[in-house]
């Protein structure tokens, strides 16, 4: 059966909350374009010894992927959760979850989430988390910027970008990979020596900014959109600053 597409996408089905869903392909629909992003990794925490946490890596992305689907087919949609930010002196950050669409007679790749940023220790900033595989950018070492994803390994697939490494008493945290700060850009590192590293960006989502070194400054920001990585925590009083959460993944059909 040939795949048919409207001249312009006129119908959308989108899922932006982590979980598992079902979708029944409507009548007269034989093809769709699929966008999928894995969840962003959470950011690591900082310490009160002057070291910032690493930013989380972003999820990989599948974009404008064409698929033949038969009317009445029941699709299972999974939206990957965003990773949790680390708790200073407690739980470590978690990676982003995988996102997918599956159903009888179709094949759509499973899209991986980004890795978590590492929490700082008493003597070193935390490294940034790697982006979602394949073709991902790697997380930056302490104080180093995260890597931007490599050139797409297919016309439809882009790996995630790495989070930036956390700062030290003599250096600020670094930005995550993925391009300029701003809409659909990487998260910048926090302000001041010992600040947190920024999260990595995804193709369709922004990354969180790293937390500032000063307790009076800005805290780390969560990732936003589809699969952006969370910012790492900066220096804080007591046990340090918590890391921020990565963004939830995203799945969308245009048919």
């Amino acid at each position: 059966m040939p795949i048919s597409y409207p001249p312009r996408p006129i119908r959308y089905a989108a899922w932006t909350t982590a979980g598992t869903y079902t979708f029944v392909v409507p009548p007269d629909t034989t093809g769709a374009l699929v966008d999928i992003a894995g969840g962003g990794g959470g950011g690591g925490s900082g310490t009160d010894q002057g070291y910032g946490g690493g930013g989380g890596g972003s999820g990989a992305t599948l974009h404008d992927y064409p698929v033949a689907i038969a009317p009445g087919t029941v699709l299972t949609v999974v939206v990957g959760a965003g990773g949790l930010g680390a708790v200073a002196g407690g739980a470590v950050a978690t990676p982003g979850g995988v996102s997918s669409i599956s159903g009888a007679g179709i094949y759509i790749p499973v899209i991986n989430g980004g890795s978590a940023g590492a929490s700082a220790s008493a003597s070193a900033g935390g490294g940034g988390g790697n982006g979602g595989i394949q073709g991902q950018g790697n997380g930056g070492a302490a104080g180093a910027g995260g890597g931007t994803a490599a050139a797409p390994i297919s016309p439809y697939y882009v790996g995630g970008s790495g989070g930036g490494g956390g700062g030290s008493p003599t250096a600020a945290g670094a930005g995550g990979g993925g391009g300029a700060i701003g809409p659909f850009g990487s998260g910048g590192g926090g302000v001041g020596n010992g600040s947190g590293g920024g999260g990595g960006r995804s193709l369709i989502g922004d990354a969180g900014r790293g937390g500032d070194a000063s307790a009076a400054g800005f805290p780390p920001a969560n990732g936003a959109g589809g699969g952006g990585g969370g910012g790492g925590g900066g220096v804080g009083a007591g046990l340090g600053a918590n890391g921020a959460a990565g963004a939830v993944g995203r799945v969308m059909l245009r048919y």
Side-chain angles (χ1 to χ4, degrees), residues 26-248:
D28 303 321
T29 301
T30 60
L33 296 176
V34 178
D35 295 338
I36 306 176
S45 59
T47 71
D48 61 353
Q49 286 91 4
Y51 297 94
S58 68
T61 306
L62 190 71
H63 184 61
D64 285 346
Y65 185 78
V67 60
I69 49 178
T73 300
V74 178
L75 304 180
T76 299
V77 177
V78 177
V79 179
L84 300 177
V87 177
V92 299
T94 61
V98 300
S99 297
S100 64
I101 301 178
S102 59
I106 67 170
Y107 171 73
I108 300 174
V110 172
I111 305 302
N112 291 290
S115 298
S119 292
S121 69
S123 59
N130 295 337
I133 58 174
Q134 303 278 338
Q136 76 279 8
N138 291 326
T148 298
I153 59 176
S154 84
Y156 313 108
Y157 180 89
V158 178
S161 295
S168 71
T170 58
I181 299 170
F184 305 107
S186 63
V191 175
N193 293 345
S195 56
R201 68 153 284 180
S202 74
L203 183 65
I204 59 173
D206 286 343
R209 175 186 182 278
D212 289 348
S214 169
F218 289 103
N222 296 336
V235 177
L239 294 174
N242 297 338
V248 174

Side-chain angles (χ1 to χ4, degrees), residues 10-38:
I10 57 174
R11 292 181 291 184
Y12 295 80
W15 297 265
T16 58
T17 301
T20 301
Y21 309 89
T22 58
F23 177 78
V24 179
V25 178
D28 303 321
T29 301
T30 60
L33 296 176
V34 178
D35 295 338
I36 306 176

